[in-house]
Structure formats: structure tokens, C-alpha cells
Amino acid sequence: HNGLSGMTWHTDGGLIFSLGENFGKDWTLQGSDRQRLSGRGEGGVFHCTKEGHGLRRIAKGFWNPFGLWMRSDGVLFAAENDPGSRPPCRLLHVVQGGDYGFQYVYGSAPVHPFVCWNGELRGTLGMIHSSGEGPCAVVGLGAGVMVPSWSNHCIDYYPLHWKGATLQADQIELLRGSDMFRPNGMIRKNDREYYFADWVSPSYELHGLGRLWKLEIDPELATWLKPDAEPWTPQAQLAHRLRTDGKLVPQDFSQEDLFRWIEGEDKYLADAAQMALGRIAKEWSESQWQELSPAGRVAAFVSLRKEHFDDPRFVQSMWADPDPEMRFEVLRWIADALWKDYLPRVESMLEDPKLDYRLFEATLATINTLSGKPSEGVTDAKMLIDKITHPQTPARIAAYALRLTPVRHERLDTAVMKALLDKSDLDLTREVVRSLAMRKDEPSQRLLAGIVQDQSMSESIRLDALAGLIGTNDSQAKKLVETLIESPNPNIANEAQRVWQQSRWSPSPSPLEAQNKSSRSVQEWIQRLDALEGMPDPDAGRRIFFHVAGAACAQCHRHDGRGNVVGPDLSSISKQGNR
């Protein structure tokens, strides 16, 4: 995980090797010709000659790209091991200049605004396919690859096919052992014979139980085997040229071409076009920048970051840009480059009452990074509590901070929560109610019951408070829920019914519609939802998501700062696919 590891030969005769996260520390590599490269704890895949000359970095943004293999047509693959609390492990298509999103310097926490795992941030690339936990090798087989999984006790096959400028795959389990089968290192002898090591025991200590296996595959009988690799698509060839030409030839590509590719759906072609755009955008005048749309400016700015990361003048020129997306990318560049001179200006952003939530998280993370605490990210409880309780903090900023603060923090006692409610700010009140709803102690439940009965409160706040009474032990609160089931307000009545039902109090005072609990496919659920009358109610969906009973989505998933991270953060899920 922490040093030099995976190795494979490049088709040019050179050596490819990788560096893991290195405990998030700074590192320097030196070739035999004394050429040096330095970096932070973001891992990397590197290339040098057989003699150790001409050291260069191919790609960055890894946790531990332990398994490496280059196909005869020059396509490089990596098996990305050990994502910690950010599963799954990854099978990657590694390209020159690629950034795969991870930086251990920001810690192993699964939530950080400047870290991603599947291409969620601009200028980063995602995976071909998830892999089993603990992949330690990539070995070619026909038109696909085999990847052993230490923790899943199996070896999987991934038949590969091109989609645009990158590859996609299916996952086929070839063999599986017991929990004392832990395949890791693997090599190919020929088309039929493969060898792999088996660590056997889960113990990391040397134990003498290891095994060496031979795997034989008959291609004529392997109906699952895809025999021949497909030729590169035109998009893959174009992306390769954009990455490696070194300069643009005007008669071949126009600026409009580059922006069209960057804004297209092919992420690998977009990434290559960004590299090319970064070579020419550095010479633009201020008027040329102003002629771009806001989205175009952000795209060009990210392109400059890829090609000119150590040049601060581009960040300086865009600091005052009002576009929230540009401001996010400016903060991200400042934090990644560790430009500490910006700390006072970044801190002042927390005084802006119009700051949106995504920028609030980015600002917190940048302040912590520039203050020497990069791994604190958005989880610095002391900073959050100080913002919540400081009398000069804008109400919206206090609301954002409360969203991220552990709801049972010792400094968030009932008196503090009452004082926040007394500010009578809608955003802050909403976050107080949502925090109280997750605490489940009697003082919090009494506060919630009072809010439910307060007719001066907005209906959405009262519904949030009512949802927080699920499973209450307070007899008066329970009686209130029972009374509200008969409310003439249908929204209040429906939420009260849901609270009663999911609290498993019986008998029910009002007949509830029987729910069919049988499993359904995603398509069946969509059809069922489409058959309902009226428009969807996102607020009702959010309450269901954060209910402590019933669906209880938030016990495993996070959305916009609230919830847990047993499973993936779902804040941006709507941007990553269809319903």
C-alpha cells in the first residue's frame, strides 16, 4: 500500500511501476540518470527505460494500483487495491495524464469534497468495472483480463469491449475457494497456463501456509471466453492523439472541436480534449476568457489545471469569478496545490450569507488543508461547533455547520438547540429539527412535539418534526401522533400514519393501506410510481430517506451532508445516471 509495487513491461520496452498512497506523505523518486519526480500522497503509475532513465509519471489519483498489465496494443490496466471506507475496488484503464480522483493526503474518510472514486469530479476518470476486494494482479486472457480477489476468495474474468475512448466489461466469476483461499499475485505462461499465489490465511504476519496454484484453461471449452481484442475505436485513437501529440495542429482540430468533446458524454475523450485545450488556453487574453460561457470558462480552467498545475496566476485571475462552479474549482486547486497565502481570503468566505452548501464544504476543506489539517476535511467538529455557536455567524452558515456536526455532540445540548430555534431563521430551524429528529432522547422529542403543534411554523418544518417522533417513548408525543392521524390536513395525517406504522405501535387507530412487501425489479418500481397521480413530493422522499425506521436509507447512505457512509454518498447520484 505504501511503497513501490506493481510492475509490468511497456510495449516500448520500458518499465511501468506504481507507487501506493505512501501514508499521504510527500515523496521523491530518482532514476539512475538522477532525474527526479516529487509528489504528495496521491499514488501514481510511472515509466522509465530498462536502465532507469527518463523517469515520468503516467497517471495519478490512486490509493494502491498494485496490479498492472499492458496489452500488446498498448492499453494499460491497473487493479486498484484497498479503497478503505470508499468501496468498491477498481479495474482501471490507465491513460497518459489521467487523474483517478483519490488523494490520501485528505485522509481515508469516505467523504471529502476534493476526493472521488469514479470520475465524479471534473478532470478525473472513473473505472472500467468494480473488482472484488483486495485485487493484487491483472492478467490478460483473450480479449479480457483476470483479476484475483484476496478478500472475496475468488478469481474473476472481465471480457472487455470498447465504448468510445475507453473500455467496459462484464464480471464473470471463474473460481472460488473457502475463506482460507486468498489469491493475489498472478502470471501468464501461455494461452492455457497461468500461475497464482495464495496467501491462505487472513493474517498479515508470515505464517508458512502459502500455496502456489496452476490454473489451466481450455479456450475451446471456455464458452465464457471472449477470444480476440477489438481494434481501437476512432474515439480511442483520437483521444490517444490528443494526449500525446504535444501540440495541436490547427487544420486538424479547432477550439470548438475541443469544447464539443469536453462537453460530450465520452469522459475519456473529454479528458484528452482537456489536456489539449490546456496547452492553448494559457495564452488567452482576458477578452477571450470573457467571450466564453460560464460552463466554457470552468472547462478551460480545469484544462489549465491539468497542464499547468504549479502556476498560480490562473487561480488569481479567476478568484473573483461569481460562478459557484468556478469558485469550487478555484478552491479545489488552491487546496490541492497547498497555496497557503490564500487562507485569509478563503476564511472570509464563511462570512458570506449567500454561500451555497457545496461551496461551504469546499471552503471548510480548503481551510483545514491550508491550516495543516488536510485529513479533517468537512469533519472538524470543533470548527463546526464554533461556527454554530458564534453570534456573528450568518444563520445559513450555522445551518450548514449543524448539518455536518454529530447530532449527539456534547456541546449541542438542549439549551443550544433552543437558542438556535429562537433565531427564527427557516434554514437554521430546519436543520435544528432534523438534528433533533436523529437524537431520540426525551428532551429532543418534547421539543419536536412542540414544533409539530406550532401553527406558526411552516408545514414542511412541522412534517420534519413529526417524522422525528418515530418510536418515541414520550407518552404525550405518542398521543399527539395518534391525534394527528385524524387531521384534516392530508399531509399531516399521512405523515402521522407513517410514523405510527413504522413505530410498530398497535393496534393502529386508523386503517392503513396494506403494503405489498414482495420484491420488484427497478423497472417494476418505476412503472408503479408512474401510475400514481399527481407530482412527486421531494420533501416526503427526503423524510423517508432520513427516517430512523422503515427504509432508514440514512443509516448507510449520506445526502447533502447528513447520514452515514457505510454505502456510497448519494448527494450527486442524480447526475450519474437515469432513474
Side-chain angles (χ1 to χ4, degrees), residues 228-261:
D228 300 313
E230 300 169 355
W232 285 37
T233 61
Q235 298 95 323
Q237 296 175 40
L238 173 59
H240 180 71
R241 185 178 175 201
L242 289 169
R243 292 181 186 284
T244 58
D245 262 4
K247 65 178 181 178
L248 287 177
V249 182
Q251 62 265 32
D252 287 348
F253 311 120
S254 67
Q255 182 176 305
E256 289 72 24
D257 289 331
L258 296 177
F259 275 110
R260 187 177 72 255
W261 294 326

Side-chain angles (χ1 to χ4, degrees), residues 407-408 432-446 448 464-474 477 481 499 502-503 505 546-549 555:
V407 296
R408 294 177 182 82
V432 171
V433 168
R434 292 175 185 176
S435 293
L436 291 171
M438 298 174 71
R439 285 158 65 123
K440 309 312 295 179
D441 57 275
E442 290 191 9
S444 296
Q445 290 172 345
R446 286 194 288 272
L448 291 172
D464 280 352
L466 180 54
L469 296 179
I470 287 180
T472 179
N473 294 316
D474 185 90
V481 174
V499 169
Q502 295 189 355
S503 299
W505 297 324
F546 289 108
H547 272 174
V548 295
Q555 290 187 17

Side-chain angles (χ1 to χ4, degrees), residues 159-416:
L160 297 161
H161 59 275
W162 285 101
K163 183 177 181 181
T166 189
L167 292 139
Q168 291 192 331
D170 300 313
Q171 185 177 27
I172 300 171
E173 185 178 291
L174 292 190
L175 61 92
R176 172 173 293 279
S178 72
D179 60 359
M180 295 295 278
F181 176 67
R182 296 179 182 272
N184 43 76
M186 190 174 190
I187 61 168
R188 171 186 178 274
K189 179 181 179 183
N190 54 47
D191 288 342
R192 291 174 172 265
E193 297 174 274
Y194 298 81
Y195 292 87
F196 64 91
D198 176 7
W199 191 255
V200 179
S201 168
S203 171
Y204 273 34
E205 301 298 323
L206 294 177
H207 45 62
L209 299 178
R211 295 291 186 269
L212 187 67
W213 294 85
K214 179 181 181 181
L215 173 64
E216 294 186 79
I217 296 173
D218 186 339
E220 296 178 0
L221 299 178
T223 57
W224 43 266
L225 176 64
K226 184 176 181 180
D228 300 313
E230 300 169 355
W232 285 37
T233 61
Q235 298 95 323
Q237 296 175 40
L238 173 59
H240 180 71
R241 185 178 175 201
L242 289 169
R243 292 181 186 284
T244 58
D245 262 4
K247 65 178 181 178
L248 287 177
V249 182
Q251 62 265 32
D252 287 348
F253 311 120
S254 67
Q255 182 176 305
E256 289 72 24
D257 289 331
L258 296 177
F259 275 110
R260 187 177 72 255
W261 294 326
I262 289 170
E263 295 165 3
E265 295 183 359
D266 190 325
K267 300 300 184 184
Y268 271 65
L269 179 56
D271 188 74
Q274 282 185 322
M275 292 182 66
L277 182 63
R279 300 183 198 119
I280 61 174
K282 65 177 181 178
E283 306 297 340
W284 286 348
S285 65
E286 183 177 347
S287 62
Q288 285 176 291
W289 279 94
Q290 294 304 319
E291 290 172 1
L292 298 173
S293 67
R297 284 201 301 274
V298 173
F301 183 78
V302 174
S303 299
L304 287 169
R305 170 197 164 101
K306 293 181 76 68
E307 289 294 297
H308 309 283
F309 180 73
D310 295 324
D311 191 338
R313 62 193 173 104
F314 304 113
V315 164
Q316 180 63 36
S317 65
M318 293 298 169
W319 172 259
D321 194 297
D323 179 20
E325 295 301 320
M326 179 64 83
R327 298 180 75 192
F328 177 89
E329 295 300 341
V330 165
L331 289 171
R332 182 179 161 215
W333 196 339
I334 289 170
D336 287 353
L338 206 59
W339 286 327
K340 296 183 179 181
D341 291 347
Y342 279 92
L343 180 57
R345 280 191 274 182
V346 176
E347 288 178 325
S348 69
M349 290 179 65
L350 294 184
E351 301 169 8
D352 181 1
K354 297 180 180 180
L355 199 69
D356 68 28
Y357 179 72
R358 185 164 180 255
L359 278 177
F360 172 75
E361 281 199 330
T363 303
L364 281 186
T366 304
I367 291 170
N368 277 320
T369 299
L370 301 184
S371 302
K373 304 180 293 179
S375 63
E376 292 286 347
V378 297
T379 62
D380 187 339
K382 182 180 184 305
M383 179 191 290
L384 294 169
I385 292 288
D386 288 347
K387 283 295 175 187
I388 292 169
T389 56
H390 195 287
Q392 300 304 315
T393 299
R396 174 178 284 192
I397 301 301
Y400 292 157
L402 184 58
R403 186 185 301 182
L404 287 168
T405 303
V407 296
R408 294 177 182 82
H409 194 281
E410 59 184 10
R411 288 177 62 187
L412 283 183
D413 57 25
T414 303
V416 169

Side-chain angles (χ1 to χ4, degrees), residues 496-572:
Q497 284 193 356
R498 185 180 292 116
V499 169
W500 190 279
Q501 184 182 43
Q502 295 189 355
S503 299
R504 292 180 172 82
W505 297 324
S506 60
S508 172
S510 178
L512 296 171
E513 179 185 353
Q515 299 295 315
N516 186 345
K517 300 292 186 181
S518 62
S519 62
R520 289 181 170 87
S521 69
V522 171
Q523 188 57 41
E524 287 174 318
W525 272 111
I526 290 175
Q527 291 172 354
R528 186 181 182 193
L529 292 169
D530 286 342
L532 297 174
E533 295 181 358
M535 295 296 293
D537 182 353
D539 284 337
R542 180 187 44 71
R543 287 192 295 275
I544 292 171
F545 186 94
F546 289 108
H547 272 174
V548 295
C553 312
Q555 290 187 17
C556 293
H557 296 282
R558 181 179 185 266
H559 196 286
D560 284 343
R562 286 199 178 274
N564 293 312
V565 286
V566 178
D569 187 317
L570 300 179
S571 301
S572 60

Side-chain angles (χ1 to χ4, degrees), residues 125-148:
L125 294 170
M127 64 185 82
I128 294 174
H129 200 287
S130 59
S131 75
E133 178 76 14
C136 297
V138 183
V139 178
L141 172 59
V145 294
M146 287 189 292
V147 179

